[in-house]
Amino acid sequence: MKKLLVTGGAGFIGANFVYYLLDNRPDVSIVCVDSLTYAGNMSTLARAMEDSRFTFYRQDIRDRAGIDAIFEAEKPDAVVNFAAETHVDRSIEDPEIFLKTNVLGVQVLMDACRAHGGIRFHQVSTDEVYGDLPLDRPDLLFTESTPLHASSPYSASKAGADLLALAYHRTYGLPVTVSRCSNNYGPYQFPEKLIPLMIANALADKSLPVYGQGLNVRDWLYVEDHCKAIDLILEKGRIGEVYNIGGHNEMRNIDIVKLICQALDKPESLITYVTDRKGHDLRYAIDPAKIHAQLGWTPETAFADGIKKTIRWYLDNRPWWEQIVSGEYKTYYERMYANR
Ligand code: NAD
Ligand code: TYD
């Protein structure tokens, strides 16, 4: 049995990855490490907690001694790092925790990998490290050799971690891979992000705050397709390499919000155009040719199907997100969107 240490498993993509492995990889056991920030939720992991192949540690990746003790006790075969501060708007408000978790936390994890015999390390990164692309050049896509040009404190912290991970490979020979994925959507996404925020607000007949004119473009990928890509990279990816992961599915924010209104039978008059995000990236678009050619990965879920499944999930799992939007998050929402 192969033992994977998965950090950030109580968050959106980490939890989907945990369930992907439990449901599809009987040869894998999982040690999950998560400090349970506002974005981590134990109710997300309820089913995993009942599985004998799953162990959970509440642990901050910035805490060297705590991380070392887990590596010593569990002796994982590989580490996949999802743990991060992930919301761009929060990084604009207060960058510090982003640098501490997203850069120094990654250093702690990789030092533990080195100290325990050179454990395989996979860094889950984002297409946001490349900065943005113009709206009027649909021919331009991010490839793995596009220069890093991060715009927000969040993306700058992720770019820092990518460089550090590749430097640990070059300098110490640590077996590292990095994946840079486009925007994910699907079950268990925290309702501060575009798609679940719009679903939750629409269901409550609250206004739908679209930044600027809603013309910014993101390349949306169903979360399970991202999980499959990471699993493939762990199995067959070339050490020291970066893999772009993307859905070939570029959409303007306004079109997504209108589609959600339509699917939930809510009026478009709920849409409110609010002050734009500072430094707002115009367009992200990934060229996934390398992972397709080398590992045979391809996005399997069409957006029309993925968004239906996602909306269905939020309708069927109201207690999961209603508990979030009524708690600490409410204060964040009021602060972030008041006078916007
Ligand atoms: P999320 O915010 O939903 O979850 C992050 C998880 O990390 C939470 O469970 C949180 O408790 C945990 N965490 C945060 N700080 C920690 C710390 N110091 N120690 C231990 N645990 C900590 O994030 P997500 O959307 O699931 O993203 C996961 C990863 O994927 C991130 O690294 C992110 O940069 C990357 N990514 C996300 C997207 C996307 O669209 N969501 C796209 C590309 C890449
Ligand atoms: P988000 O889900 O925060 O992801 P990212 O910024 O990492 O791409 O935002 C996706 C897009 O939606 C981005 O262009 C900002 C926009 N957006 C809104 O228009 N309104 C909102 O309330 C939020 C959260 C995002």
Side-chain angles (χ1 to χ4, degrees):
M1 178 90 61
K2 189 173 170 185
K3 192 184 273 189
L4 269 192
L5 191 146
V6 175
T7 67
F12 164 47
I13 308 174
N16 277 281
F17 186 66
V18 164
Y19 286 123
Y20 178 76
L21 293 178
L22 290 177
D23 295 341
N24 296 284
R25 295 289 304 270
D27 55 321
V28 171
S29 68
I30 302 157
V31 175
C32 177
V33 168
D34 197 299
S35 63
L36 301 179
T37 66
Y38 78 91
N41 194 335
M42 276 320 277
S43 71
T44 301
L45 290 173
R47 176 162 73 86
M49 292 297 277
E50 285 165 17
D51 198 305
S52 59
R53 287 187 291 131
F54 182 82
T55 311
F56 181 82
Y57 288 90
R58 183 172 191 173
Q59 173 63 54
D60 196 313
I61 60 165
R62 292 169 295 166
D63 168 11
R64 206 169 268 282
I67 288 294
D68 253 356
I70 294 172
F71 273 67
E72 189 58 43
E74 296 288 350
K75 306 203 175 346
D77 298 300
V79 175
V80 186
N81 180 38
F82 293 95
E85 291 291 336
T86 61
H87 194 37
V88 172
D89 294 321
R90 289 185 193 253
S91 83
I92 294 168
E93 227 191 6
D94 187 3
E96 188 157 338
I97 185 69
F98 284 75
L99 299 178
K100 287 182 170 163
T101 291
N102 297 2
V103 184
L104 298 178
V106 175
Q107 184 208 359
V108 168
L109 291 172
M110 292 193 299
D111 283 344
C113 287
R114 284 182 64 210
H116 291 84
I119 297 171
R120 173 88 155 80
F121 181 80
H122 181 71
Q123 170 66 3
V124 179
S125 187
T126 165
D127 59 357
E128 302 192 24
V129 298
Y130 298 120
D132 63 354
L133 294 164
L135 292 173
D136 60 356
R137 288 291 308 273
D139 55 311
L140 295 181
L141 302 172
F142 297 135
T143 71
E144 289 80 358
S145 51
T146 299
L148 302 190
H149 199 256
S151 312
S152 71
Y154 161 68
S155 50
S157 69
K158 295 295 290 185
D162 285 15
L163 294 176
L164 193 64
L166 297 171
Y168 266 53
H169 170 63
R170 166 90 185 240
T171 306
Y172 305 117
L174 191 70
V176 164
T177 42
V178 174
S179 56
R180 298 184 179 140
C181 190
S182 59
N183 285 59
N184 284 214
Y185 67 101
Y188 299 115
Q189 187 166 29
F190 195 86
E192 67 188 350
K193 303 283 165 59
L194 179 75
I195 288 180
L197 183 147
M198 296 300 167
I199 296 172
N201 280 17
L203 286 172
D205 296 309
K206 283 173 66 177
S207 71
L208 307 176
V210 169
Y211 298 169
Q213 295 177 291
L215 302 179
N216 304 61
V217 170
R218 299 290 183 262
D219 174 2
W220 294 93
L221 181 71
Y222 191 62
V223 62
E224 193 181 35
D225 283 329
H226 185 188
C227 295
K228 286 181 185 170
I230 294 172
D231 187 33
L232 264 179
I233 294 169
L234 281 170
E235 288 299 302
K236 300 190 207 150
R238 294 186 194 159
I239 298 303
E241 300 230 350
V242 175
Y243 291 92
N244 278 358
I245 307 169
H248 273 312
N249 179 55
E250 289 180 53
M251 293 187 70
R252 299 188 310 179
N253 295 338
I254 187 64
D255 296 327
I256 294 203
V257 177
K258 286 184 176 171
L259 194 152
I260 291 171
C261 288
Q262 211 173 23
L264 293 173
D265 202 17
K266 297 290 179 182
E268 287 182 10
S269 56
L270 286 176
I271 295 172
T272 316
Y273 293 93
V274 301
T275 310
D276 211 350
R277 175 184 278 171
K278 290 190 177 77
H280 198 174
D281 281 335
L282 291 172
R283 169 176 166 251
Y284 303 143
I286 279 275
D287 178 359
K290 176 176 172 181
I291 189 168
H292 179 66
Q294 271 191 26
L295 308 182
W297 179 87
T298 190
E300 289 169 26
T301 309
F303 187 78
D305 299 331
I307 194 72
K308 263 191 224 140
K309 281 202 265 186
T310 303
I311 292 174
R312 185 75 257 158
W313 188 88
Y314 281 87
L315 286 169
D316 291 345
N317 291 273
R318 275 175 172 266
W320 182 86
W321 57 268
E322 278 176 350
Q323 172 240 325
I324 292 170
V325 295
S326 65
E328 184 192 337
Y329 172 70
K330 205 170 160 206
T331 323
Y332 160 84
Y333 191 89
E334 281 159 8
R335 188 178 72 244
M336 196 60 96
Y337 289 88
N339 315 315
R340 187 156 189 159

